[in-house]
């Protein structure tokens, strides 16, 4: 999952990578000798411990009540873990042999913790899940864990202000997006759009524009970095142009809720974000505000295809799990499409099971449906333990371009050199 925690785990990611490497965990794959266990017949029994972050951690204990009713001899304890300390907490538990039975890992954390996880039993069917999500559980040809929910990024925009600015529909290409930002600003907005200008994972946040211009971070077999390319340069120049023209703020307020507040008051009528912001905006703007904004797929460059970022969270069972059998039964239950629909109703997490997207609870909201459409064209960050360091170097270069006026071509050449020096972890 890469969502609200994006701005809080930078140090944790780097520390974890370093510490696991120090423990001999240098491979991006899981344990080559690991063998998946079989889930036993019959109900789950015994004590099971689960760690989960954010809203999920707060809601999961009550949500599991039906499972406990079906399995009266199981005793489940869910511990809610703050996102900003979660990765360090998991790392400490791995090092100390004190992990819970089940953990909730962001999809980008999988390479870091792969060697501490049990392979996924064959009885858990993931064939109906989004392939890009299932792919995040594969390390070295073996699957570890099961996708729980997915997420992607769209552009949130004010419909009422767009129409007032002379646009009937949201643009589908780069130039149209820029023209809309100009129109918003000409019609009274302080800035036309909010875009990442620096800080943790800011470069990751602009990757949808790179992918929608046929650019890539790595080559197909992930053996080489590909930052210094014309496609990447064009995408970076496109993003930088919004700041150069004054359409985006290079030094926005970083206080929690500031983007939502400015979106509601109309001073910044467009921003890039994920599904978790939908209920928050309605809460901030009131029930009637739901009709005043919409979400749209990432506009593509000429010759490109709208492609966004995919992330989410996976449920895993640790090697040190004391009750792995019951743990896998819980994960198997949570993976059922009808259960994922109920989980969507509970916390608004987008289901990893594609069949769940046929339920009216998911499809009746056009905003949610738009996320489902974008999920048909998404990509993920490289599944490499060295990625946090490369991503941090990219964040620095992006900030120097946006806030320091650095030439994008120079920035990408330096980023390419930095990434090459770090290697790919192989």
């Amino acid at each position: 999952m890469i969502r609200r925690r994006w701005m809080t785990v930078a140090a944790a990611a780097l520390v974890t990578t370093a510490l696991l490497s120090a423990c001999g965990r240098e491979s991006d794959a899981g344990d080559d000798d690991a063998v998946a266990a079989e889930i036993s017949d019959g109900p789950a029994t015994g004590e099971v411990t689960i760690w989960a972050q954010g809203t999920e951690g707060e809601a999961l204990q009550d949500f599991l009540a039906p499972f406990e009713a079906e399995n009266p001899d199981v005793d489940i304890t869910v511990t809610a873990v703050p996102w900003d300390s979660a990765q360090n907490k998991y790392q400490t538990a791995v090092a100390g042999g004190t992990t819970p039975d089940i953990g909730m890992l962001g999809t980008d954390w999988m390479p870091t913790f792969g060697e501490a996880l049990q392979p996924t039993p064959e009885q858990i069917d993931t064939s109906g899940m989004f392939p890009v999500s299932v792919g995040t559980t594969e390390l070295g040809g073996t699957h570890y864990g099961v996708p729980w929910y997915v997420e992607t990024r769209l552009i949130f925009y004010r419909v009422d202000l767009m129409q007032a600015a002379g646009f009937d529909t949201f643009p589908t290409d780069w130039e149209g997006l820029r023209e809309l930002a100009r129109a918003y600003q000409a019609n009274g907005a302080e800035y036309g759009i909010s875009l990442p200008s620096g800080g943790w994972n800011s470069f990751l946040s602009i990757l949808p524009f790179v992918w929608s211009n046929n650019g890539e971070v790595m080559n197909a077999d992930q053996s080489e970095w590909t930052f210094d390319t014309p496609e990447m340069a064009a995408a970076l120049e496109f993003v930088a142009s919004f700041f150069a023209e004054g359409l985006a703020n290079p030094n926005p307020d970083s206080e929690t809720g500031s983007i939502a507040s400015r979106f509601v008051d109309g001073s910044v009528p467009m921003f890039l974000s994920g599904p978790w912001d939908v209920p928050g905006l309605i809460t901030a703007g009131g029930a009637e505000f739901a009709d005043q904004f919409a979400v749209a797929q990432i506009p593509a460059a000429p010759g490109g295809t709208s492609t966004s970022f995919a992330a989410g969270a996976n449920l895993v069972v640790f090697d040190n799990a004391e009750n792995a059998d019951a743990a896998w039964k819980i994960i198997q239950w949570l993976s059922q499409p009808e259960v994922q629909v109920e989980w969507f109703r509970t916390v608004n997490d987008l289901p990893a099971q594609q069949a769940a997207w046929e339920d009216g609870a998911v499809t009746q909201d056009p905003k949610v449906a738009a996320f489902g459409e974008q999920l048909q064209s998404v990509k993920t960050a490289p599944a490499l333990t060295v990625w946090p360091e490369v991503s941090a170097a990219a964040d620095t270069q992006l900030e120097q371009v946006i806030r320091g006026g650095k030439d994008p071509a120079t920035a990408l050449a330096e980023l390419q050199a930095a990434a090459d020096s770090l290697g790919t972890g192989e």
Side-chain angles (χ1 to χ4, degrees):
M1 168 180 185
I2 303 180
R3 48 199 285 184
R4 286 152 285 195
R5 66 180 177 77
W6 272 28
M7 303 300 290
T8 60
V9 298
L14 295 175
V15 168
T16 299
T17 299
L19 288 175
L20 291 184
S21 295
C23 293
R25 300 171 185 278
E26 298 177 347
S27 171
D28 294 306
D31 183 351
D32 292 339
D33 298 325
V35 177
E38 290 189 9
I39 302 175
S40 68
D41 295 330
T45 61
E47 297 182 357
V48 180
T49 54
I50 304 174
W51 290 358
Q53 294 83 264
T55 304
E56 291 78 9
E58 297 168 0
L60 185 57
Q61 184 76 65
D62 291 341
F63 186 79
L64 287 169
F67 179 86
E68 291 181 299
E70 297 172 7
N71 301 267
D73 293 327
V74 72
D75 182 13
I76 304 171
T77 301
V78 178
T79 299
V81 180
W83 270 113
D84 57 1
S85 62
Q87 201 164 13
N88 273 342
K89 186 175 178 68
Y90 282 115
Q91 185 277 324
T92 300
V94 168
T98 58
T99 57
D101 295 299
I102 297 175
M104 168 187 168
L105 298 186
T107 54
D108 55 328
W109 296 6
M110 296 299 291
T112 300
F113 290 98
E115 293 190 3
L117 307 178
Q118 295 190 15
T120 309
E122 293 183 358
Q123 292 106 313
I124 297 181
D125 183 8
T126 61
S127 62
M129 295 182 168
F130 286 102
V132 69
S133 297
V134 178
T136 65
T137 68
E138 183 179 354
L139 302 169
T142 301
H143 290 275
Y144 298 85
V146 178
W148 191 13
Y149 63 84
V150 296
E151 64 178 63
T152 187
R153 306 303 161 85
L154 297 179
I155 294 183
F156 287 65
Y157 67 99
R158 285 288 299 271
V159 177
D160 55 341
L161 300 183
M162 180 185 75
Q163 293 172 341
F167 279 68
D168 294 328
T169 59
F170 193 84
T172 59
D173 58 26
W174 280 10
E175 191 52 38
L177 180 65
R178 187 158 34 212
E179 287 298 327
L180 177 57
R182 289 169 177 160
Y184 273 134
Q185 195 173 53
N187 204 44
E190 183 175 2
Y191 295 100
I193 189 171
S194 174
L195 290 170
S197 58
W200 174 247
N201 270 337
S202 54
F203 188 84
L204 199 64
S205 297
I206 71 165
L207 281 180
F209 294 111
V210 174
W211 289 323
S212 297
N213 190 38
N214 300 317
E216 296 287 350
V217 173
M218 303 192 78
N219 61 356
D221 64 1
Q222 294 198 337
S223 61
E224 296 180 1
W225 299 102
T226 56
F227 289 105
D228 194 8
T229 65
E231 293 82 7
M232 185 77 75
L236 182 54
E237 289 168 358
F238 173 68
V239 172
S241 71
F242 286 86
F243 296 93
E245 196 173 334
L247 297 172
N249 184 0
N251 297 292
D253 186 350
S254 59
E255 185 176 347
T256 301
S258 62
I259 291 180
S261 176
R262 304 207 72 186
F263 184 73
V264 171
D265 70 21
S267 58
V268 182
M270 283 196 293
F271 69 102
L272 183 66
S273 190
W276 57 88
D277 267 322
V278 173
L281 288 172
I282 295 174
T283 299
E288 295 182 354
F289 186 66
D291 295 329
Q292 296 177 26
F293 75 95
V295 291
Q297 294 190 23
I298 303 298
T305 300
S306 175
T307 305
S308 192
F309 185 88
N314 299 329
L315 292 173
V316 301
V317 175
F318 286 95
D319 276 340
N320 291 324
E322 295 183 357
N323 193 355
D325 188 65
W328 284 119
K329 288 178 178 176
I330 293 171
I331 292 175
Q332 190 174 36
W333 183 80
L334 288 168
S335 301
Q336 299 176 83
E338 61 272 24
V339 175
Q340 295 220 327
V341 170
E342 287 304 311
W343 187 236
F344 167 77
R345 288 193 176 101
T346 303
V347 296
N348 214 48
D349 279 349
L350 302 181
Q353 284 279 12
Q354 296 182 78
W357 286 81
E358 299 173 3
D359 191 282
V362 180
T363 61
Q364 65 185 3
D365 186 336
K367 295 183 180 66
V368 176
F371 282 100
E373 293 170 5
Q374 184 70 74
L375 281 167
Q376 303 303 318
S377 180
V378 291
K379 294 186 178 181
T380 61
L384 300 172
T385 55
V386 73
W387 171 247
E389 295 174 80
V390 174
S391 182
D395 293 340
T396 298
Q397 292 294 344
L398 176 64
E399 184 169 343
Q400 290 176 356
V401 169
I402 302 302
R403 297 175 179 169
K406 194 173 194 175
D407 175 60
T410 301
L412 291 176
E414 292 179 4
L415 176 57
Q416 180 72 49
D420 289 344
S421 68
L422 290 168
T424 61
E426 297 294 336

